[in-house]
């Protein structure tokens, strides 16, 4: 695990094994409540699907968990530390060193090659170019897109581009991967393969995965499901255990 040296070391919450958690999150945009007391918890190596209809608050929950947007109320804790207690610079460093991101449309930089895209988080974290690209190349091979390493995003298919995005998310060996509708722009065959490769790699590295999706076939790759509706999160496995 690389460290930028700007985020204070913290001991994961060993008592519960929870790596990332949220309690009582509330977030309002204008007069519209996006989150209304949402709770969440994930452990190392666990894949949790966050499901819900459009506008339910699931993407807002992901953004709060990742420290991208602050909640109006409530608390997000990562590795025993409250994210709101960190400065903007420390949260940015955390997203470079400990968090990986996969977005619906990949969001690759069009001017860079696929290899340079996959190596970008490592370069931003201060890794030398040769080392960063060597590490990224290993992930491109693992994600079955090594043959397009020198292509630019506009020269590859949607499925290939999304695998490059997954390689970029995993290249820095993050402890948490945030995947927001990672197969939403893909056909079913490419979507299935992306999910297979993402979840296999995450389990191997013991990365936790927060998987936002509205598709049950994608959620099937998770260990458990959280349903967000009207800004509240319900753990479906916990509810099933009470039946």
């Amino acid at each position: 695990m690389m460290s930028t040296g700007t985020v204070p070391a913290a001991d994961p919450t060993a008592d519960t094994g929870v790596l990332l958690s949220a309690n009582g999150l509330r977030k309002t945009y204008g007069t519209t409540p996006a989150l209304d007391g949402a709770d969440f918890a994930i452990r190392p190596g666990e894949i949790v699907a966050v499901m819900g209809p459009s506008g339910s608050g699931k993407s807002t929950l992901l953004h709060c968990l990742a420290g991208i947007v602050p909640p109006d109320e409530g608390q997000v804790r990562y590795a025993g530390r409250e994210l709101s207690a960190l400065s903007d610079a420390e949260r940015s460093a955390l997203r470079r060193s400990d968090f990986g991101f996969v977005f619906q449309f990949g969001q690759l930089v069009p001017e860079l090659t696929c290899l340079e895209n996959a190596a970008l988080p490592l370069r931003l974290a201060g890794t030398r170019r040769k080392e960063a690209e060597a590490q990224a190349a290993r992930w491109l091979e693992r994600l079955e897109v090594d043959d397009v390493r020198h292509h630019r995003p506009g020269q590859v298919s949607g499925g290939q581009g999304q695998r490059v995005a997954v390689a970029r998310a995993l290249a820095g060996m993050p402890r948490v991967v945030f995947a927001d509708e990672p197969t939403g722009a893909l056909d079913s065959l490419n979507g299935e393969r992306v999910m297979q490769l993402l979840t296999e790699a995450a389990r191997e590295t013991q990365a936790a995965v927060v998987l936002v999706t509205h598709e049950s076939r994608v959620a099937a790759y998770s260990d458990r499901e959280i349903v967000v509706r009207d800004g509240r999160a319900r753990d479906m496995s916990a509810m099933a255990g009470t039946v």
Side-chain angles (χ1 to χ4, degrees):
M1 172 68 62
M2 297 184 309
S3 174
T4 63
T6 58
V7 178
D11 179 47
T13 49
D15 291 342
T16 63
V18 172
L19 178 63
L20 177 68
S21 65
N23 299 102
L25 296 188
R26 299 182 187 278
K27 183 67 179 179
T28 300
Y29 294 101
T31 59
T32 304
L35 296 176
D36 185 19
D39 298 325
F40 181 88
I42 192 168
R43 293 169 174 76
E46 188 177 26
I47 299 172
V48 176
V50 179
M51 303 188 71
S54 178
S56 62
K58 56 186 186 295
S59 289
T60 300
L61 175 60
L62 181 148
H63 293 156
C64 287
L65 291 172
I68 296 172
V69 299
D72 297 330
E73 296 180 30
Q75 183 183 77
V76 177
R77 296 184 68 84
Y78 168 71
R81 288 184 61 86
E82 187 176 352
L83 290 190
S84 64
L86 302 177
S87 67
D88 288 342
E90 288 173 330
R91 284 194 294 273
S92 294
L94 190 66
R95 288 192 292 271
R96 289 195 299 269
S97 63
D98 283 34
F99 296 167
F101 297 88
V102 183
F103 302 101
Q104 180 174 351
F105 297 103
Q107 295 188 357
L108 300 177
V109 180
E111 296 82 8
L112 302 180
T113 66
C114 289
L115 177 61
E116 290 168 337
N117 266 283
L120 187 57
L122 292 166
R123 296 285 289 134
L124 292 174
T127 305
R128 293 181 182 274
R129 181 186 183 115
K130 186 175 181 180
E131 181 184 345
E133 292 191 353
Q135 192 164 327
R138 289 192 290 271
W139 279 103
L140 290 178
E141 183 176 5
R142 173 69 186 271
L143 272 295
E144 302 175 349
V145 283
D146 182 59
D147 57 329
V148 301
R149 66 164 69 187
H150 299 304
H151 291 55
R152 286 184 167 78
Q155 299 173 309
V156 304
S157 70
Q160 289 172 323
Q162 198 65 335
R163 294 185 201 183
V164 173
V166 173
R168 179 183 60 187
L170 295 170
M173 299 296 288
R175 298 183 68 186
V176 185
V177 175
F178 296 94
D180 194 354
E181 300 284 5
T183 66
L186 303 178
D187 60 62
S188 58
L189 184 61
N190 274 303
E192 291 286 340
R193 191 60 184 145
V194 165
M195 287 308 304
Q196 288 170 2
L197 293 167
L198 171 60
T199 53
E200 286 172 6
R203 293 188 196 283
E204 181 180 301
T205 60
Q206 279 295 285
V209 178
V210 181
L211 173 63
V212 169
T213 183
H214 65 276
E215 299 182 69
S216 57
R217 64 180 180 84
V218 174
Y221 285 89
S222 69
D223 298 308
R224 59 188 173 90
E225 298 175 13
I226 300 290
V227 173
V228 180
R229 190 177 296 275
D230 298 325
R232 292 181 174 270
R234 296 180 296 167
D235 189 329
M236 301 310 291
S237 61
M239 293 181 66
T242 63
V243 176

